């Protein structure tokens, strides 16, 4: 029996302040990139559905109309959509929906051919005159979205007609995603004999997986480059990757978004079709803890314990867990002259490599460190701060992930 799988998702975060515009009555047009499609060629129709979230909202969120369309030339981060490609979305048969605080809403299934790595434009009209207190966002989108300031729908035009316009007038670009939680897909035809069913790997991480230092609208974070390689070179087009990373995130404690331990259920275990989890997180826990021997001993012990909890909880759901070693940060503000934090990184990495608790280990540390100075990232692979990688650095991470990790789930 065919089942839903998540083809795109993002880690939801609370408002980040001045960067967030007033969205009351606004029109939002945002681009998401599917990973696994309905079929390898994108010819056969597939059912898809979109999930919206008001998780961090303190007031009900009214969505007057919603639609998906093909972005111009299939590109990421553009405001124009292909004329005539818009599909109006419904919620239990209705064109509009009100999402309560901390609630979600899932659209009714809609049908379209969706090839792997297809970009899809999502346009929402929010309820005019409705004050929004608290907005659910993902500020590290590395993808340009477009906001048209709130206004009433013209009396001679229905909301669904307004958001289907190929070009939005007076749209302001902003590099955030808003209200979007997940895009799920279900092939309408059963796989052919011998053809693997779609399956998903979820990536739990921080800014190094969220793509800080990558190209806005370039889709060159390491998960993007990995899925490109696995689809194009390995022919593994049944694989989907869901990037549930958040910049500044920590494993143990809340910061920019809730801690990885606390969001495991929402972002991993509840993800439709998940078969594998790649865990690449912990550097912010080490870097924000005091650089005393006692504080670093404690954070190292707590990280190791948290990794064990994540492994056990994922295994209980039949999910294989791959641990990724933590990459260097010498030259960054996380570094300390005595090397106490670096000693913690080395201790945690040794546990990841040698404990045999993970189903497999991905050695990101070895992929980017300097051979002559392993506390530092190789020149040319980081953005200049000693921690965050550039496009070439993320390519090195993607290359370090073996295709053999993604066999039959």
């Amino acid at each position: 029996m065919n089942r839903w799988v998540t083809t795109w998702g993002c880690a939801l975060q609370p408002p980040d302040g001045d960067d967030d515009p007033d969205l009351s009555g606004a029109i939002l047009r945002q681009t998401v990139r599917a990973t696994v499609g309905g079929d390898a060629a994108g010819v056969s129709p597939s059912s898809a559905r979109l999930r919206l979230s008001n998780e961090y909202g303190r007031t009900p969120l009214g969505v007057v109309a919603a639609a998906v369309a093909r972005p111009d030339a299939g590109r990421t981060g553009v405001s124009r959509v292909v004329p005539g490609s818009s599909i109006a979305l419904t919620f239990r048969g209705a064109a509009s929906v009100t999402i309560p605080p901390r609630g979600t809403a899932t659209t009714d299934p809609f049908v379209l051919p969706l090839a792997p790595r297809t970009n899809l434009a999502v346009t929402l009209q929010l309820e005019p005159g409705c004050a929004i207190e608290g907005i659910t966002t993902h500020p590290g989108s590395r993808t340009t979205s477009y906001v048209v300031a709130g206004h009433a729908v013209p009396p001679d035009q229905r909301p669904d007609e307004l958001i289907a316009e190929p070009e939005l007038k007076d749209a302001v670009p902003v590099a955030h995603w808003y209200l979007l939680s997940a895009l799920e897909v279900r092939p309408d035809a059963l796989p052919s004999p011998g053809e693997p069913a779609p399956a998903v790997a979820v990536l739990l991480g921080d800014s190094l997986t969220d793509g800080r230092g990558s190209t806005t609208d370039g889709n060159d974070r390491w998960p993007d480059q990995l899925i490109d390689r696995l689809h194009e070179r390995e022919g593994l087009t049944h694989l989907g990757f869901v990037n549930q990373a958040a910049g500044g995130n920590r494993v143990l404690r809340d910061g920019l978004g809730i801690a990885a331990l606390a969001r495991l259920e929402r972002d991993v275990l509840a993800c439709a079709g998940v078969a594998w989890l790649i865990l690449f997180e912990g550097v912010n826990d080490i870097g924000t803890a005091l650089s005393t021997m006692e504080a670093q001993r404690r954070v190292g012990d707590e990280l190791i314990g948290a990794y064990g909890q994540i492994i056990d909880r994922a295994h209980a759901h039949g999910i294989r867990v791959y641990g990724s070693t933590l990459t260097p940060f010498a030259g960054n503000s996380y570094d300390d002259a005595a090397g106490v934090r670096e000693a913690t990184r080395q201790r945690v990495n040794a546990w990841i490599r040698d404990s045999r608790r993970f189903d497999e280990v991905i050695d990101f540390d070895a992929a980017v460190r300097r051979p002559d100075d392993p506390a530092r990232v190789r020149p040319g692979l980081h953005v200049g701060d000693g921690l965050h990688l550039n496009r070439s650095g993320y390519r090195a991470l993607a290359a370090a992930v073996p295709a053999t990790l993604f066999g039959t789930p």
Side-chain angles (χ1 to χ4, degrees):
M1 182 176 181
N2 287 7
R3 57 182 181 143
W4 292 99
V5 296
T6 307
T7 186
W8 174 88
C10 69
L12 302 175
Q13 295 174 260
D16 66 344
D18 295 339
D19 288 343
D20 293 314
D22 180 6
L23 296 183
S24 175
I27 297 174
L28 292 168
R29 180 163 286 170
Q30 308 173 81
T31 309
V32 300
R33 188 193 192 213
T35 53
V36 64
D39 71 300
V43 175
S44 299
S46 304
S47 294
R49 61 187 183 187
L50 184 71
R51 183 174 300 123
L52 308 179
S53 175
N54 191 26
E55 177 162 338
Y56 294 101
R58 297 186 297 276
T59 53
L61 176 71
V63 179
V64 176
V68 294
R70 301 290 187 189
D72 184 47
R75 293 178 295 166
T76 298
V78 297
S79 63
R80 181 176 174 80
V81 299
V82 176
S85 68
S86 184
I87 300 173
L89 304 181
T90 58
F91 303 84
R92 301 186 69 178
S96 62
V97 68
T98 298
I99 310 173
R102 299 194 61 81
T104 63
T106 302
T107 68
D108 298 325
F110 55 94
V111 177
L112 79 168
L114 188 67
R117 294 176 293 135
T118 297
N119 286 305
L120 202 61
V122 180
T123 309
L124 306 174
Q125 164 80 63
L126 303 186
E127 184 178 353
C130 180
I132 297 177
E133 296 182 13
I135 193 72
T136 301
T137 181
H138 185 85
S141 64
R142 273 87 204 178
T143 301
T144 306
S145 300
Y146 295 86
V147 180
V148 179
H151 63 283
V153 177
D156 59 343
Q157 193 171 32
R158 300 196 315 268
D160 61 319
E161 294 175 333
L162 183 62
I163 66 172
E165 291 287 340
E167 190 69 68
L168 296 178
K169 296 179 181 179
D170 304 318
V172 176
V174 56
H176 285 51
W177 282 311
Y178 295 105
L179 312 177
L180 304 181
S181 174
L183 177 67
E184 297 173 346
V185 65
R186 182 182 63 195
D188 285 349
L190 291 171
S192 301
E195 179 184 351
V200 173
V202 175
L203 317 174
L204 191 63
D206 50 37
S207 60
L208 289 165
T209 300
D210 207 21
R212 181 173 172 181
S214 64
T215 310
T216 297
D217 300 324
N219 291 322
D220 52 19
R221 314 164 190 84
W222 74 259
D224 297 305
Q225 297 193 59
L226 174 59
I227 198 69
D228 288 344
R229 189 193 103 212
L230 294 177
H231 281 198
E232 293 174 3
R233 299 184 190 176
E234 311 291 345
L236 302 177
T237 52
H238 68 288
L239 289 180
F241 275 59
V242 180
N243 190 339
Q244 298 285 32
N249 198 234
R250 293 183 290 189
V251 175
L252 302 167
R253 294 169 180 84
D254 293 351
L256 297 180
I258 59 176
L261 270 179
R263 65 189 181 93
L264 184 69
E265 179 73 36
R266 182 195 73 183
D267 290 348
V268 180
L269 305 184
C271 184
V274 58
W276 307 277
L277 166 62
I278 298 178
L279 177 61
F280 178 35
E281 189 163 1
V283 69
N284 291 322
D285 296 84
I286 296 170
T288 57
L290 294 175
S291 59
T292 64
M293 296 290 290
E294 175 58 25
Q296 287 298 308
R297 180 198 62 76
R298 183 167 56 250
V299 77
D301 289 347
E302 290 176 348
L303 269 178
I304 290 169
Y307 291 158
Q309 290 184 52
I310 291 171
I311 293 166
D312 290 342
R313 290 171 66 189
H315 281 172
H317 287 76
I319 300 168
R320 290 176 61 80
V321 186
Y322 303 148
S324 305
T325 52
L326 304 180
T327 50
F329 50 74
N332 188 263
S333 60
Y334 282 173
D335 195 12
D336 64 280
V340 180
R341 292 191 179 107
E342 170 62 12
T344 302
R345 185 183 75 90
Q346 293 288 357
R347 180 164 75 94
V348 170
N349 278 351
W351 186 88
I352 292 171
R353 291 188 181 102
D354 301 334
S355 68
R356 299 181 181 271
R357 290 284 279 117
F358 289 101
D359 295 295
E360 296 285 351
V361 172
I362 302 168
D363 204 342
F364 283 160
D365 173 42
V368 299
R369 71 190 180 207
R370 285 181 57 168
D372 60 330
D373 189 354
R376 296 181 182 274
V377 175
R378 294 205 310 269
L381 298 187
H382 64 92
V383 297
D385 67 356
L387 171 64
H388 296 100
L389 305 182
N390 56 23
R391 179 180 180 178
S392 297
Y394 290 131
R395 184 183 302 118
L397 295 189
V401 182
T404 52
L405 295 184
F406 308 103
T408 303

